Amino acid sequence: MEELIEAAGGYGPPPGYGPPPGGGYGPPQGPPGFGPPGGYGPPPGGYGAPPGGFGPGMVGPPPGFGGQQPRNHGLAIASMIVGIISVFPGCCCGGFGMPMPIAAIVMGIIAHQKIKAMPYQYTGGGFAIAGIVLACFGLMFDVFSLFSTIDDSMRSSYGGGF
């Protein structure tokens, strides 16, 4: 066998070396009269498998936990949509459009508070703020149309007898 190793290019340990010497340092010794430190040993019994669910009828963790991405809050989106729509009735419908901006402001404030309270679960703070701002413009247009005569000519030209 050694002839094969030498014929293959001399691979292997160089001659004259044997196994490493034994000895070395032993385990640490404590003060006289004390033995080696005792270990803790294996834990008593097992803890078993984790529970097989989160309760009757539940399939997974509550929303917002377990690595799920936060989602847009529905009230924030509704606030923005109603805020956009509330701008236009103020231009031509007088007081008819007054409840829409108020509803958009209320929805936007509630949505913004919930988003700030649970940022790991909800996003959409920009939608809520946009809904509030647009609803404020719509409310200003409604109030302005109640006290102006410009909208009277617009309503009479479109056949509105408000």
Side-chain angles (χ1 to χ4, degrees):
M1 183 80 153
E2 291 180 19
E3 294 101 21
L4 288 174
I5 292 175
E6 288 180 24
Y11 293 105
Y17 287 99
Y25 295 106
Q29 299 294 321
F34 292 97
Y40 283 103
Y47 291 105
F54 293 93
M58 293 185 71
V59 178
F65 291 98
Q68 294 178 352
Q69 294 292 325
R71 57 187 175 91
N72 287 326
H73 199 283
L75 278 178
I77 296 172
S79 170
M80 186 182 71
I81 291 171
V82 174
I84 291 170
I85 295 171
S86 71
V87 173
F88 300 110
C91 297
C92 60
C93 300
F96 175 71
M98 194 74 79
M100 288 175 56
I102 293 172
I105 291 172
V106 169
M107 286 189 292
I109 290 172
I110 292 172
H112 198 261
Q113 288 175 347
K114 286 187 177 186
I115 291 168
K116 284 179 89 174
M118 295 182 277
Y120 54 87
Q121 189 172 4
Y122 295 115
T123 59
F127 291 138
I129 292 173
I132 293 170
V133 169
L134 289 168
C136 287
F137 281 121
L139 190 62
M140 288 188 327
F141 287 148
D142 283 336
V143 170
F144 179 72
S145 69
L146 289 175
F147 298 113
S148 72
T149 57
I150 298 171
D151 66 323
D152 290 336
S153 62
M154 287 174 58
R155 279 187 254 152
S156 63
S157 66
Y158 289 115
F162 291 101

